[in-house]
């Protein structure tokens, strides 16, 4: 049986344009309105978090864990930008699930 996804998963949103704070904030607000928790902006990026079903509904791809415990959407670490609504895609260059750290406890 494959390992189960956690109740909440997170991804990093990278906003294009040298971290323009006005653009970053506009994108963060759009993700919040779409039902995601958003982390603070760090440069031109911020984190988003929600249950796996929310991500799956957004991009129409099933989430799964890879062998290292990282999250994949349809076998890819990055979400397909073409499947995002315009408000979430506009000004965004990447939305990606990070790799789990190579240290510390591991999921089994």
């Amino acid at each position: 049986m494959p390992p189960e996804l956690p109740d909440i998963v997170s991804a990093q949103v990278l906003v294009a344009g040298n971290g323009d704070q006005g653009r970053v904030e506009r994108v963060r607000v759009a993700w919040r309105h779409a039902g995601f928790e958003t982390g603070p902006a760090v440069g031109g990026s911020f984190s988003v978090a929600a249950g796996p079903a929310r991500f799956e509904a957004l991009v129409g791809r099933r989430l799964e864990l890879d062998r290292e415990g990282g999250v994949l959407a349809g076998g890819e670490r990055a979400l397909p930008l073409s499947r995002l609504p315009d408000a979430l895609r506009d000004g965004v260059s990447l939305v990606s699930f990070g790799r789990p750290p190579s240290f510390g406890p591991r999921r089994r």
Side-chain angles (χ1 to χ4, degrees):
M1 183 168 162
E4 290 187 31
L5 288 161
D7 292 339
I8 301 291
V9 295
S10 64
Q12 282 297 119
V13 177
L14 179 61
V15 179
N18 275 344
D20 175 270
Q21 290 307 300
R23 178 181 291 174
V24 172
E25 188 56 27
R26 179 183 49 77
V27 175
R28 284 181 68 220
V29 168
W31 281 86
R32 275 196 305 269
H33 284 126
F36 291 83
E37 291 184 36
T38 62
V42 178
S45 69
F46 61 93
S47 64
V48 293
R54 184 72 202 108
F55 281 97
E56 291 171 346
L58 185 69
V59 296
R61 296 210 172 147
R62 185 152 175 74
L63 297 188
E64 61 190 359
L65 293 178
D66 65 13
R67 281 187 233 140
E68 291 81 36
V71 177
L72 302 174
E76 301 292 329
R77 197 158 306 280
L79 294 179
L81 295 180
S82 64
R83 292 181 169 251
L84 294 176
D86 289 344
L88 302 183
R89 181 179 64 228
D90 186 37
V92 170
S93 54
L94 178 71
V95 180
S96 179
F97 297 107
R99 295 187 183 278
S102 60
F103 57 87
R106 294 201 177 245
R107 291 178 58 108
R108 298 197 194 277

